[in-house]
Amino acid sequence: MGSSSSRLSNIPNGQELMQETGFSDAHLLRLYERFQFLDKDNKGHLRSEDFEAVRELSKNPIGDRIVEAFFLPGQETVDFPSFVRVLAHFRPKEKNRTREGAQQEPEPANSRNQKLKFAFRLYDRDRDGKISRVELLQVLREMLGMQVTEEQLQSIAERAIQEADLDKDDTISFDEFRKISFHADPHRNRTGEARACLLEGKQT
Amino acid sequence: MAALWPLPLLISGSLWACLAMNLPEPHNGSLLVGFNTSHVSPSADLPSALRVFSLDYHHVQAPFEIVLWIMLASLAKLGFHWSGRVPAVVPESCVLIMVGLLVGGVIYGVRHSAPPTLSADAFFLFLLPPIVLDAGYFLPGRLFFENLGTILWYAVLGTLWNILGIGLSLYGVCLLAPSSLGDISLLHCLLFGSLIAAVDPVAVLSVFQEMHVNEQLHILVFGESLLNDAVTVVLYKLFESFLRLSSVTGLDVLVGGCRVVVVGLGGLFVGLFFGLVTALTSRFTSRAQVIAPLFVFLYSYLSYLTSEMLHFSGIVAIVTCAVTMKQYVEANVSEHSNTSIQYFLKMWSSVSETLIFIFLGVSTIQDIHMWSWPFVCSTLLLCLVWRTTGVLLLTAVVNKLRRNAVTFRDQFIIAYGGLRGAICFSLVFLIDDFPKKRLFITTTIVVILFTVFVQGMTIKPLVELLDVKRKKRALPTVSEEIHSRLLDHLLSGIEDVVGYWGQHYWKDRFEQFNRKYLRRVLIGEHHQARSSILRVYQELERREQRGEEAPPVVDPRPSSRPLLPEEMDSIRRILSRNLQNFNNKQTPAYSRHTLHQNVTTDRMRKPLHRHMSLPLRCTYNTITHCPQRDDGEFSYRGRAQLSRSHTVCSASRRWSEPPGTLVPALQDRTLDHKPAEEEHHSPQHKAAIERATKKHLSFVLENEKQL
């Protein structure tokens, strides 16, 4: 891989990013290369068209939501730090790693809570902190494709909300969401870690 | 007092068997003598007059004896389950071996010659395939493939490590005691190592199923025991052929290595081929549904036989065949056929396993034992030592590559759960005769008995002691399913962004391929695939629906639109086309004794009160493309059919619901109500639905026996 420190210096704010997100320098370098690959015109930032160029992503049922998650609200471009920050949610957890100067207060980006918040944002597009029935319907519609009738979607969405909605306000709040995902996660720590392991070339 | 139940059964069974054995002239050797006994009664005097009553045993001898043995095995099994506290302490395999010992002892005592032994042919051709087929058919696919790398790692490398380690160490032991063991050559030791190192799927299954460890651990041990067959058999045959050669060159060793690969891959391809053929055949069985299960069994067995004929690994072939054909067959054949397939598989594998253990016990009573303290004890010790070190080393390496590390406790269970069984036993009988063969046989028997009894009995307390992670039992709710699915998509998407291919990529690619090509070809027009969200959904719906006789209750709170079962069915049918089948969390079904954990009637829930506003039924007809003979059958079949894909359904209960009841209900509603307005929310549902949601979270729909 060459001397990583020399390449690392090419990345703006590389050290701070590493500190903030917890990626190792090898990871960061890989991500930077990927970022540059996606950024075809060398603009220094990514737009949504660059994401759509990823062929597989366009086939993904929730592809556009994922893309959207990279963009901060109101912004139309994603620069490298934002790119890395989003991906930091999927960084593998290292158990014994201590970060220099790290405080205990801010949660590490790849903690379970943060991952869940990220996933929650996928559902909750308008960022009001709750998943409404409409939003759930949209997600289901995307995941289930075109051949489903509206009623059937409604039924399933209905069912899902009923199961999850504990305070009966007809929406799913983040806490309720957390409870669902607690059960949904078979190994209790799977959220995002498969991806992270792929960053390191691991298999499950 | 309950413990005394099995005694009369066993005693009568064994006496019966002995009686049968004594009637004809004693014959040693293989049980399956074929039909070469003379059909002519050997009585010397020709009858001068007609006899009123005569006995011609020879005519029916062979099948009679076979049936008697199977009867004995089954009665023993029954007795075991009725015997109070015994099943909790002693695994079934141990009891069966003990029964076998008892019967063998009785036969020996009565006849003063060795009882019939388990012939290797009978074992490999008749007794082993049903067990492996059953294991393969109910294999949790997703878990298996997720862990495939690790499983292969353990199976191939671990077995190699064990074989070489045990073989070489045993040779060292033989060198150390040249007086008694001097004529055992290195090749013999390696040969012995190759057959004793193999972990046996039968024994593993029978013990592990009574312990509920977490699925990952289960699949690791079980998958390893299945796949190490390729390595074991190849090395065994290799060493055996080396023994016949005058000299062994390096080239031969290299060829041997290639053979392992060829054997494994060959088995795989044979299995794939037959699996696809079965799937295709099952597509056309709609007009002769009764024989559909037969195809499944025939083709699987054929794949095993073909693979054995070509000297490939039969076990790999039959497992691959089962895994390949399962989803297509389940989609294609009718509900009853699916149940038949599953029940027959369970039954045959149960009988096979029982027979194997009984015969292990019977065959222990032999004349031909040769004992040698150093050899036997060192073999036992070395088996344990090498397995443990092998597991530790391999896990240390593989943990760096795995996401979910195999913990120390898991490693202990893997190492300790490496039981040997009947495969070793049969293989040892197949060795060409040489002076110390009897020693090998004795040692093999001792190792098998030790592992099954000692390790089998103590593993459960040890597991509890070490507090191995238990499987989770709860059925995921629909929202959990959705969430899991979303996560999978999310991870897949992130992977695409980051640009690395991994298992999600291959899984997605396979699913696409499956969807576009395989499903179209292999599944009939009117059958549709299922998805796990739908399975969960329909299962929950069905439970609520069962109690649906009471009149609706008015509830003031606003609620959602009604959830009608027929709607749900058609929803599921459509949706299943679209949702990818990621989640198979609820599939493990290794229980030998039951097919599924049937939901008992006391779990019948309060009715879900529905406000009947049903869209026109024709909508569903068009959507589902189902050629209906009549409405009642459609809805019954449709509803029931979907549930079949789910291994955790309660089959027997469904049969008790007559189709007729559904039809009038539906027709009433069709006539009375107009098409639904989609935003119609009726109050009374919400409360009822809330009750429903709370209920299902406590369901235990898995098939595990209650601990």
Side-chain angles (χ1 to χ4, degrees):
Chain A
M1 216 129 178
S3 163
S4 53
S5 55
S6 64
R7 299 278 304 278
L8 198 60
S9 56
N10 294 345
I11 305 177
N13 306 321
Q15 285 294 336
E16 290 96 41
L17 273 179
M18 272 173 60
Q19 285 265 359
E20 185 190 335
T21 59
F23 277 119
S24 70
D25 42 9
H27 282 167
L28 206 61
L29 214 46
R30 233 184 270 186
L31 289 176
Y32 191 64
E33 284 165 3
R34 181 66 180 174
F35 182 83
Q36 286 179 321
F37 172 75
L38 289 173
D39 180 16
K40 300 255 170 9
D41 310 329
N42 253 332
K43 307 185 287 292
H45 55 251
L46 297 177
R47 306 179 67 85
S48 36
E49 299 89 56
D50 297 318
F51 280 105
E52 281 153 29
V54 180
R55 188 174 47 91
E56 295 301 328
L57 199 59
S58 52
K59 284 197 209 147
N60 195 313
I62 55 167
D64 51 347
R65 282 178 191 255
I66 297 176
V67 171
E68 209 179 81
F70 278 91
F71 292 85
L72 294 172
Q75 288 207 343
E76 291 200 2
T77 61
V78 178
D79 57 359
F80 183 64
S82 315
F83 184 71
V84 172
R85 274 184 210 117
V86 167
L87 290 177
H89 289 295
F90 302 99
R91 182 175 63 78
K93 279 204 183 86
E94 292 118 8
K95 294 191 176 57
N96 300 321
R97 182 175 158 145
T98 56
R99 289 156 50 194
E100 307 76 26
Q103 320 78 332
Q104 298 304 342
E105 278 315 312
E107 242 175 323
N110 68 340
S111 76
R112 188 184 161 72
N113 213 27
Q114 291 289 340
K115 282 177 180 149
L116 286 177
K117 279 203 188 134
F118 185 79
F120 192 76
R121 279 209 292 272
L122 285 181
Y123 283 100
D124 183 24
R125 261 174 150 163
D126 56 4
R127 312 283 165 109
D128 63 351
K130 290 182 178 307
I131 303 175
S132 69
R133 179 168 295 143
V134 172
E135 284 169 342
L136 188 62
L137 258 179
Q138 281 171 352
V139 173
L140 278 176
R141 202 173 285 129
E142 286 173 15
M143 283 209 292
L144 297 176
M146 291 315 230
Q147 298 173 18
V148 185
T149 72
E150 201 46 41
E151 291 156 355
Q152 295 159 352
L153 270 183
Q154 295 268 354
S155 308
I156 297 215
E158 193 47 56
R159 188 48 181 261
I161 292 232
Q162 285 151 16
E163 288 168 1
D165 190 17
L166 300 171
D167 57 1
K168 303 295 160 247
D169 60 353
D170 221 26
T171 61
I172 303 180
S173 69
F174 182 59
D175 285 325
E176 290 160 0
F177 182 73
R178 238 205 320 234
K179 292 200 182 84
I180 304 173
S181 53
F182 188 71
H183 288 294
D185 217 359
H187 301 293
R188 298 293 153 104
N189 62 353
R190 199 176 134 251
T191 323
E193 299 229 349
R195 187 60 35 239
C197 293
L198 288 158
L199 282 178
E200 301 180 10
K202 291 182 185 184
Q203 74 150 57
T204 45
Chain B
M1 286 301 116
L4 291 181
W5 266 90
L7 278 182
L9 283 175
L10 295 179
I11 293 178
S12 57
S14 49
L15 280 179
W16 199 6
C18 300
L19 196 65
M21 300 305 149
N22 275 316
L23 272 179
E25 57 279 13
H27 55 280
N28 343 326
S30 163
L31 173 68
L32 298 179
V33 286
F35 294 91
N36 53 2
T37 54
S38 69
H39 293 273
V40 179
S41 165
S43 57
D45 50 343
L46 294 167
S48 53
L50 276 178
R51 293 189 182 195
V52 175
F53 183 73
S54 57
L55 180 73
D56 186 4
Y57 182 68
H58 292 287
H59 188 57
V60 297
Q61 179 180 350
F64 200 83
E65 288 183 356
I66 294 175
V67 170
L68 275 185
W69 279 109
I70 299 181
M71 186 77 74
L72 172 69
S74 313
L75 286 175
K77 203 175 162 83
L78 270 186
F80 169 73
H81 283 284
W82 272 97
S83 64
R85 282 282 306 163
V86 175
V89 175
V90 183
E92 190 181 313
S93 44
C94 299
V95 172
L96 291 172
I97 293 185
M98 286 197 283
V99 169
L101 281 172
L102 188 73
V103 171
V106 169
I107 293 181
Y108 187 77
V110 168
R111 259 209 276 168
H112 296 289
S113 68
T117 62
L118 182 66
S119 88
D121 274 346
F123 173 71
F124 279 114
L125 290 181
F126 299 116
L127 291 179
L128 188 61
I131 298 178
V132 187
L133 178 60
D134 170 55
Y137 200 78
F138 291 106
L139 198 68
R142 178 187 200 198
L143 210 56
F144 183 73
F145 286 111
E146 272 182 10
N147 291 300
L148 188 62
T150 316
I151 291 176
L152 278 175
W153 185 255
Y154 281 125
V156 177
L157 282 181
T159 314
L160 267 178
W161 170 270
N162 279 332
I163 290 176
L164 291 175
I166 295 178
L168 293 173
S169 330
L170 269 182
Y171 186 58
V173 168
C174 292
L175 287 178
L176 287 178
S179 52
S180 54
L181 304 171
D183 54 346
I184 303 181
S185 67
L186 174 64
L187 272 179
H188 279 125
C189 286
L190 283 173
L191 182 66
F192 186 67
S194 74
L195 64 91
I196 203 81
V199 173
D200 189 72
V202 179
V204 164
L205 265 184
S206 76
V207 166
F208 265 68
Q209 70 163 5
E210 302 179 11
M211 294 193 310
H212 298 283
V213 296
N214 77 52
E215 293 168 332
Q216 174 185 287
L217 183 55
H218 196 170
I219 199 70
L220 282 180
V221 182
F222 175 61
E224 181 207 343
S225 66
L226 276 185
L227 292 184
N228 69 11
D229 174 61
V231 180
T232 307
V233 164
V234 164
L235 282 179
Y236 174 84
K237 290 192 176 138
L238 196 70
F239 289 132
E240 215 181 10
S241 48
F242 281 176
L243 272 175
R244 293 190 198 126
L245 290 176
S246 50
S247 67
V248 178
T249 65
L251 187 64
D252 293 325
V253 176
L254 195 62
V255 168
C258 295
R259 281 202 70 197
V260 175
V261 176
V262 165
V263 159
L265 287 181
L268 193 78
F269 284 121
V270 169
L272 270 178
F273 172 71
F274 277 101
L276 291 175
V277 170
T278 318
L280 192 60
T281 313
S282 68
R283 179 184 174 172
F284 300 108
T285 58
S286 50
R287 301 196 187 177
Q289 289 175 6
V290 182
I291 62 168
L294 193 61
F295 285 113
V296 171
F297 303 132
L298 285 181
Y299 277 117
S300 317
Y301 193 45
L302 209 56
S303 74
Y304 181 82
L305 291 176
T306 313
S307 182
E308 287 289 320
M309 174 178 77
L310 298 169
H311 286 296
F312 294 150
S313 166
I315 291 187
V316 171
I318 209 174
V319 168
T320 315
C321 182
V323 168
T324 312
M325 71 178 169
K326 181 175 174 184
Q327 49 172 322
Y328 309 111
V329 163
E330 275 186 345
N332 275 330
V333 304
S334 70
E335 156 96 18
H336 293 285
S337 297
N338 258 323
T339 314
S340 306
I341 291 176
Q342 301 188 7
Y343 260 100
F344 266 109
L345 279 179
K346 287 289 177 200
M347 186 184 78
W348 269 327
S349 66
S350 240
V351 168
S352 263
E353 183 192 337
T354 318
L355 271 178
I356 287 177
F357 284 119
I358 295 253
F359 267 111
L360 270 181
V362 169
S363 311
T364 311
I365 314 289
Q366 293 278 348
D367 276 336
I368 61 173
H369 287 303
M370 184 194 295
W371 186 264
S372 154
W373 276 106
F375 194 77
V376 173
C377 295
S378 55
T379 310
L380 273 178
L381 194 64
L382 287 171
C383 282
L384 278 174
V385 163
W386 281 103
R387 179 146 180 97
T388 316
T389 53
V391 167
L392 284 174
L393 275 179
L394 289 176
T395 316
V397 175
V398 93
N399 267 345
K400 296 201 180 10
L401 301 172
R402 277 179 64 88
R403 168 167 45 89
N404 293 322
V406 182
T407 67
F408 174 71
R409 290 173 188 150
D410 290 353
Q411 291 173 41
F412 176 80
I413 296 293
I414 294 177
Y416 201 67
L419 304 181
R420 274 65 169 180
I423 292 188
C424 319
F425 185 77
S426 308
L427 285 178
V428 82
F429 270 99
L430 286 176
I431 303 181
D432 295 337
D433 213 359
F434 77 105
K436 283 292 194 304
K437 179 174 172 179
R438 295 162 55 186
L439 175 61
F440 280 3
I441 295 179
T442 310
T443 317
T444 310
I445 293 181
V446 170
V447 169
I448 294 176
L449 290 182
F450 180 83
T451 57
V452 173
F453 276 92
V454 174
Q455 288 180 227
M457 276 204 274
T458 56
I459 198 167
K460 192 162 176 186
L462 281 173
V463 164
E464 278 163 16
L465 202 63
L466 292 179
D467 191 31
V468 175
K469 258 193 302 189
R470 297 309 183 97
K471 282 191 277 198
K472 302 174 211 355
R473 314 262 204 109
L475 179 78
T477 63
V478 172
S479 48
E480 288 166 7
E481 285 283 329
I482 296 176
H483 183 71
S484 299
R485 197 64 58 78
L486 184 102
L487 276 183
D488 280 332
H489 285 304
L490 170 65
L491 296 180
S492 199
I494 295 284
E495 179 176 49
D496 298 326
V497 170
V498 171
Y500 279 91
W501 309 134
Q503 67 171 23
H504 285 277
Y505 171 73
W506 288 114
K507 184 160 49 184
D508 282 349
R509 280 284 288 258
F510 172 70
E511 279 295 324
Q512 279 175 25
F513 173 71
N514 194 13
R515 196 157 308 251
K516 272 170 72 176
Y517 302 110
L518 292 181
R519 293 204 106 108
R520 282 226 198 106
V521 172
L522 298 172
I523 298 187
E525 273 298 306
H526 47 282
H527 299 286
Q528 322 229 348
R530 283 86 182 162
S531 140
S532 60
I533 284 189
L534 303 182
R535 284 189 229 141
V536 172
Y537 199 21
Q538 75 205 17
E539 193 59 40
L540 298 173
E541 280 302 314
R542 189 171 318 105
R543 297 194 187 300
E544 286 147 15
Q545 227 235 326
R546 279 205 198 104
E548 208 211 324
E549 284 90 19
V553 164
V554 178
D555 189 299
R557 296 206 10 215
S559 99
S560 51
R561 71 183 292 281
L563 301 162
L564 206 52
E566 306 78 44
E567 293 176 36
M568 295 312 108
D569 292 343
S570 47
I571 287 176
R572 285 157 209 149
R573 245 169 267 134
I574 303 298
L575 291 174
S576 62
R577 274 210 194 122
N578 306 296
L579 285 175
Q580 294 186 348
N581 203 352
F582 282 179
N583 256 333
N584 282 332
K585 287 184 285 204
Q586 60 265 37
T587 50
Y590 291 143
S591 170
R592 277 273 171 272
H593 313 296
T594 61
L595 194 54
H596 314 295
Q597 194 69 356
N598 293 328
V599 174
T600 56
T601 47
D602 56 278
R603 283 174 173 273
M604 181 127 24
R605 307 302 183 182
K606 289 200 289 260
L608 178 67
H609 306 299
R610 299 174 196 272
H611 188 81
M612 299 307 153
S613 57
L614 171 63
L616 289 175
R617 293 200 71 224
C618 59
T619 325
Y620 295 101
N621 299 345
T622 56
I623 288 172
T624 60
H625 310 290
C626 189
Q628 300 145 36
R629 285 170 274 273
D630 58 278
D631 288 346
E633 192 190 343
F634 158 68
S635 47
Y636 172 69
R637 201 167 79 93
R639 219 165 61 110
Q641 191 177 16
L642 286 168
S643 63
R644 226 42 223 134
S645 62
H646 188 12
T647 58
V648 188
C649 301
S650 46
S652 57
R653 288 189 58 85
R654 199 161 316 98
W655 285 347
S656 64
E657 296 169 24
T661 58
L662 201 51
V663 179
L666 289 173
Q667 286 173 346
D668 281 345
R669 291 175 201 136
T670 324
L671 295 172
D672 293 345
H673 299 275
K674 314 176 198 38
E677 309 111 27
E678 292 170 2
E679 279 68 47
H680 170 71
H681 300 313
S682 59
Q684 55 268 41
H685 288 289
K686 192 87 190 262
I689 292 171
E690 289 163 28
R691 281 196 298 266
T693 61
K694 290 193 175 69
K695 291 176 257 173
H696 65 239
L697 286 173
S698 63
F699 277 5
V700 175
L701 285 181
E702 295 292 328
N703 67 325
E704 293 90 329
K705 294 184 274 190
Q706 300 298 329
L707 277 180

